[in-house]
Amino acid sequence: MADEKRNGATPSILSIRSLQKAFGELPVLTDISLSVERGNVISIIGPSGSGKSTLLRCASFLERADGGDILYDGNYAVKDGVYAPRAELNRFRTRFGLVFQNFQLFPHYSVLRNISEAPILHGEDRDEVYERANSLLRKMGLEGKEKAYPYQLSGGQQQRVAIARALAMKPEILYFDEPTSALDPELTGEVLKVIRQLAEEKMTMVVVTHEMPFAKAVSNRVIFMAGGVIVEQGDPVEVFENPREERTKQFLRVFER
């Protein structure tokens, strides 16, 4: 697909324009447009069923959009609902990592193998991958867990392994789909601490979350979705303390109780 030229300006790492997605007769995303600048953290908030997770799944090609554009660094992965050829899409897939709410680790693989399998399959040197994996485990506070299996770990530890697995592919952008929703409050703190650290390191991230204090504190921009549309977006302090739209106000009142 042809690349987009922007008069010499550096394109956003991710640009989505007029994205549409329906499941049968049910519209889930309607005319969604957003951009993500390199080094920024974008939090997407909103009620259940608002299309947040579907948006991430479309951006990562796990769901097929019905229309609109998806660009990475100004290069079209999807244009007017038409997808780039498979080989091009596979190259785009190396640009991002995805962390799911239910971990999705391979239960029959050790922690080390869960983290290292994908880079090795992509042709990287095994010793270099193992060194990187062990470095990531130290970063996640999981040193000494290399030989453990997922069932031997807490939920918070499993999610940190999942984050390390995503980082092992050296992505340019990380997508988090409600990464703490399956965890109790104590374990939630473990995972949010890791994401905060990544934010401080200027890792580009898009985080679908119900953790409002986290979204307010860590994000460069907050997007509020409801009913398959972006209702409001902007600076986190403005969105949380002075929302413009009545639907945003209604949603945030629940978290003030």
Side-chain angles (χ1 to χ4, degrees):
M1 271 188 191
D3 298 347
E4 182 192 61
K5 305 300 181 183
R6 292 191 176 179
N7 301 320
T10 302
S12 302
I13 187 170
L14 171 68
S15 297
I16 291 176
R17 301 180 191 149
S18 302
L19 195 70
Q20 302 161 46
K21 174 65 181 177
F23 293 114
E25 298 297 316
L26 177 66
V28 179
L29 299 175
T30 305
D31 197 25
I32 296 289
S33 296
L34 61 88
S35 62
V36 180
E37 306 303 321
R38 194 174 297 276
N40 280 3
V41 179
I42 309 301
S43 288
I44 304 177
I45 64 173
S48 298
S50 59
K52 306 182 301 297
S53 294
T54 300
L55 173 57
L56 283 196
R57 292 178 66 83
C58 286
S60 56
F61 315 137
L62 293 176
E63 295 286 356
R64 194 171 186 90
D66 299 324
D69 304 335
I70 301 174
L71 301 89
Y72 284 92
D73 278 333
N75 303 312
Y76 282 99
V78 183
K79 186 174 184 181
D80 297 328
V82 178
Y83 279 68
R86 183 187 298 270
E88 286 187 45
L89 283 182
N90 286 338
R91 285 194 290 273
F92 282 118
R93 286 188 176 98
T94 66
R95 310 287 292 277
F96 55 77
L98 181 60
V99 179
F100 301 91
Q101 55 184 297
N102 293 318
F103 324 137
Q104 296 199 6
L105 300 175
F106 294 111
H108 55 296
Y109 286 0
S110 68
V111 165
L112 183 62
R113 188 173 178 187
N114 263 287
I115 296 170
S116 59
E117 185 79 355
I120 291 172
L121 288 176
H122 275 77
E124 293 194 51
D125 178 79
R126 186 180 298 269
D127 290 339
E128 291 181 6
V129 172
Y130 284 166
E131 183 178 349
R132 187 190 315 149
N134 282 305
S135 176
L136 286 167
L137 284 172
R138 290 192 294 272
K139 184 187 186 77
M140 299 294 140
L142 294 171
E143 191 170 10
K145 298 294 186 181
E146 299 85 352
K147 297 180 180 179
Y149 286 82
Y151 77 91
Q152 297 173 308
L153 305 178
S154 70
Q157 290 172 328
Q158 289 186 61
Q159 191 62 294
R160 283 180 279 156
V161 172
I163 295 171
R165 178 179 61 182
L167 289 170
M169 289 296 292
K170 299 186 286 189
E172 298 173 47
I173 182 170
L174 270 183
Y175 296 127
F176 290 86
D177 186 8
E178 299 190 12
T180 61
S181 65
L183 304 175
D184 65 34
E186 183 177 2
L187 299 181
T188 290
E190 296 178 3
V191 173
L192 293 182
K193 180 180 178 181
V194 169
I195 301 176
R196 285 174 183 268
Q197 180 182 350
L198 293 173
E200 290 171 0
E201 297 169 0
K202 299 299 182 183
M203 182 75 208
T204 309
M205 295 182 283
V206 180
V207 186
V208 169
T209 184
H210 288 296
E211 300 292 335
M212 299 301 129
F214 165 83
K216 182 179 178 181
V218 175
S219 308
N220 298 96
R221 190 164 84 255
V222 169
I223 294 172
F224 171 65
M225 290 182 63
V229 302
I230 293 176
V231 175
E232 185 167 350
Q233 62 177 307
D235 177 83
V237 174
E238 285 297 312
V239 171
F240 282 106
E241 296 185 5
N242 190 30
R244 300 186 305 272
E245 303 297 329
E246 183 58 34
R247 183 65 185 89
T248 314
K249 295 175 184 177
Q250 292 172 356
F251 175 76
L252 292 176
R253 283 190 198 110
V254 175
F255 294 93
E256 294 171 355
R257 294 172 186 169

